[in-house]
Amino acid sequence: MPVDGVELATPAQAGVLNPANSPAVIKTLQRAVNLTLDNQVDAIVTAPVHKGVINEAGIPFTGHTEMLAELFGTANPVMMLVAKGLRVALATTHLPLREVPDAITDELLECVITTLHHDLVDKFAIAAPRIVVTGINPHAGEGGHLGSEEIDTIIPVLERLRGAGMNLTGPVPADTAFIPAALEGTDAVLTMYHDQGLPVLKRTGFGHAVNVTLGLPIVRTSVDHGTALELAGSGRADCGSLQSAIDLAAELAIRRQHRPT
C-alpha cells in the first residue's frame, strides 16, 4: 500500500501539540482532495484533528467538514453520523448554542434536508428515504408556547418539501425522537444542533460510529471521536471507529462505482 507523507516542520511528539506542525495537517487534507480530483483515490477517510492548535498557528479552521466543503466548492455540507443502523444528521454543526436559532433559516434547513435526502438515495441506495426532523425547542415548541422557531421556520419548510415528494416526519420533540417506536421505519433523523443528536448516537455506538459528510462530490468518512491526546503513544487507543470509517468508505465507494448511470 503506497504512503504519501507530508513533511513536518519539527519532529512530532506523541500527545504533544505543536502549532508549528499545523500547516502540515492542512496540507495533508489538501493533498487528499487533490488525489480525489485526479481520480487517483475513490474516498477520503480522515482521522481526528485538534482544531485549537491549528487556530493557534493562525490558520482559520473550524473542522474537516467545513474545509472540505470549501475545497470542493460545496456551500452547505451536512454532517451525519452512522452507528448500528441509526443515522443522525445535523442542521448546524460547530456553533455556540446561543447562535443556533438564528442560524436555522428557511434557506439553510431546505438545503440541509434536500442534501440529506439526495445522499440517502445516491450514496446509501435508499429509494424513498423516510426522514424524521426534530424541533429546536423543548416539546418542539409546544404550539408556540416554548418557542416559535418550529411555527415560523421548520413547519413551513417541511410542508414545502413534502409537496416536492419527500417523506418527512416532524418537527418532533427531540426527547422522544429516538425511542424505538419512533425510529421504526426511519432512515435518518435530522436534529437541529450538535449536542441534540450526537449524544444519543454516541451512547448507541461510540467507538464504532462513523462520521459521513454529505453534499460532497466524493465519499468522505471519519471517526466519531476527538484526538484523545492522553492516549497518544500509549498503545491503549481503540481503532474501532477508524476501522468502521474505512469499511463504510469502501462500501459507499463500491456502491457508487456500480450504480446505474
Side-chain angles (χ1 to χ4, degrees):
M1 179 179 296
V3 176
D4 186 9
V6 173
E7 186 176 353
L8 298 177
T10 61
Q13 292 180 264
V16 178
L17 297 173
N18 188 342
N21 286 328
S22 293
V25 176
I26 303 301
K27 288 178 182 177
T28 299
L29 191 56
Q30 291 170 330
R31 185 167 297 181
V33 168
N34 290 336
L35 288 171
T36 64
L37 294 174
D38 291 340
N39 295 316
Q40 296 185 51
V41 299
D42 297 308
I44 295 175
V45 180
T46 59
V49 295
H50 194 285
K51 300 177 184 67
V53 74
I54 296 175
N55 294 150
E56 288 174 15
I59 302 171
F61 180 84
T62 57
H64 280 112
T65 301
E66 294 81 3
M67 183 176 176
L68 285 167
E70 182 180 349
L71 291 173
F72 280 109
T74 301
N76 289 296
V78 175
M79 179 187 293
M80 182 174 77
L81 269 79
V82 179
K84 295 184 178 179
L86 179 62
R87 302 181 186 93
V88 178
L90 306 178
T92 61
T93 53
H94 301 117
L95 282 181
L97 190 57
R98 68 173 64 249
E99 296 179 15
V100 170
D102 290 339
I104 299 176
T105 62
D106 285 30
E107 295 77 13
L108 174 76
L109 196 55
E110 182 167 339
C111 182
V112 167
I113 295 174
T114 300
T115 298
L116 174 58
H117 181 274
H118 175 274
D119 277 19
L120 287 173
V121 174
D122 180 63
K123 293 179 178 173
F124 287 83
I126 301 171
R130 179 181 173 229
I131 301 170
V132 171
V133 181
T134 67
I136 187 173
N137 295 297
H139 304 289
E142 192 104 357
H145 295 286
L146 294 176
S148 63
E149 286 82 4
E150 287 78 11
I151 294 173
D152 296 340
T153 303
I154 301 176
I155 291 174
V157 170
L158 296 187
E159 289 179 346
R160 188 161 62 248
L161 293 178
R162 287 190 193 105
M166 295 187 194
N167 188 350
L168 306 172
T169 299
V172 302
D175 62 347
T176 55
F178 294 96
I179 62 175
L183 287 175
E184 187 173 351
T186 298
D187 295 300
V189 178
L190 175 65
T191 60
M192 294 297 107
Y193 54 93
H194 189 281
D195 284 9
Q196 187 182 55
L198 296 195
V200 179
L201 183 133
K202 292 189 178 185
R203 172 64 180 85
T204 300
F206 185 72
H208 295 279
V210 180
N211 181 351
V212 184
T213 303
L214 308 180
L216 298 178
I218 55 98
V219 171
R220 180 262 173 160
T221 66
S222 188
V223 296
D224 68 347
H225 55 76
T227 50
L229 293 173
E230 70 279 4
L231 295 178
S234 70
R236 295 183 289 111
D238 185 345
C239 65
S241 182
L242 181 58
Q243 184 62 59
S244 296
I246 294 170
D247 291 344
L248 183 57
E251 176 187 332
L252 296 178
I254 292 170
R255 184 179 293 151
R256 282 166 64 86
Q257 289 173 356
H258 292 87
R259 69 186 176 186
T261 57

